[in-house]
Amino acid sequence: MDDVSTNDAPAQGVPMDDPHAVITCEDEEFGPVTITTPAAVPDEALVEGPGLPLAVLTRAGEARDHRQAPIGTRDADRLTLTIGDDPATLALGAGRLKRSSFRAVVDLAGLAYTFEPTGRHRSVLRRDGRQVALFIWTGNSESAAIWRPADGVSPRPEDAAVGYLLATAFGTGAASTRSLLLDAVMDAIDAIP
């Protein structure tokens, strides 16, 4: 499991006013990874490390329109993604009532990455449909990548950059449909004047 210093914030669901906006963790496959969360720069998330391409996700516009996404939106038209020198295309689910609606898909230089919740605090990263890693939020201010590639798949530095960036920007995991439905009902009740 990754080592994360005890005063660091989790990559999942970091509050925008969190003073611990820069996380450094020791990835079991790629060594030190530095994650700058949207708490540090409200419209940006960055991932970098020795041997990793710089991964940057930038949000356009001031208003946050999605409270469950640390980057502040799930509108791909408002987001710009680059991995190293390569621009990437991002497609996002709406992040509403079904766990699968929190899926993120990245097209990077002809490779298709899918980052999809498989539980409340975990997501799977797939490259071209084949599992590369699990990203898990432990709830103890720790975020971990567990490299469990499918047969014949070797983890690449780009995999780590994409996975950590998506975990940071959109969170790791998603609640059950029942919990998401209850949240939606409570939001509707709160909106009544």
Side-chain angles (χ1 to χ4, degrees), residues 10-151:
Q12 188 269 348
V14 178
M16 293 304 288
D17 60 352
D18 193 308
H20 305 290
V22 178
I23 301 162
T24 300
C25 64
E26 187 67 29
D27 182 86
E28 64 187 30
E29 186 77 22
F30 296 100
V33 177
T34 301
I35 301 163
T36 303
T37 72
V41 182
D43 61 349
E44 194 168 74
L46 288 94
V47 171
E48 56 191 325
L52 294 184
L54 176 65
V56 181
L57 183 66
T58 305
R59 183 187 82 224
E62 295 295 320
R64 295 176 50 83
D65 62 11
H66 200 284
R67 67 183 172 89
Q68 293 175 328
I71 195 70
T73 189
R74 291 192 65 86
D75 180 355
D77 291 338
R78 294 182 57 202
L79 297 167
T80 303
L81 174 61
T82 57
I83 308 293
D85 293 328
D86 296 321
T89 303
L90 183 64
L92 301 169
R96 298 282 186 243
L97 295 180
K98 291 174 47 181
R99 191 173 277 157
S100 63
S101 74
F102 287 86
R103 176 184 314 168
V105 178
V106 172
D107 181 6
L108 173 64
L111 297 173
Y113 286 95
T114 304
F115 189 78
E116 184 170 6
T118 58
R120 185 168 187 82
H121 299 294
R122 70 180 181 270
S123 293
V124 65
L125 178 68
R126 293 184 182 92
R127 178 181 3 107
D128 291 336
R130 302 187 68 201
Q131 182 172 314
V132 178
L134 296 174
F135 281 79
I136 298 172
W137 180 65
T138 66
N140 297 322
S141 296
E142 295 181 8
S143 181
I146 300 174
W147 299 98
R148 292 192 180 157
D151 288 342

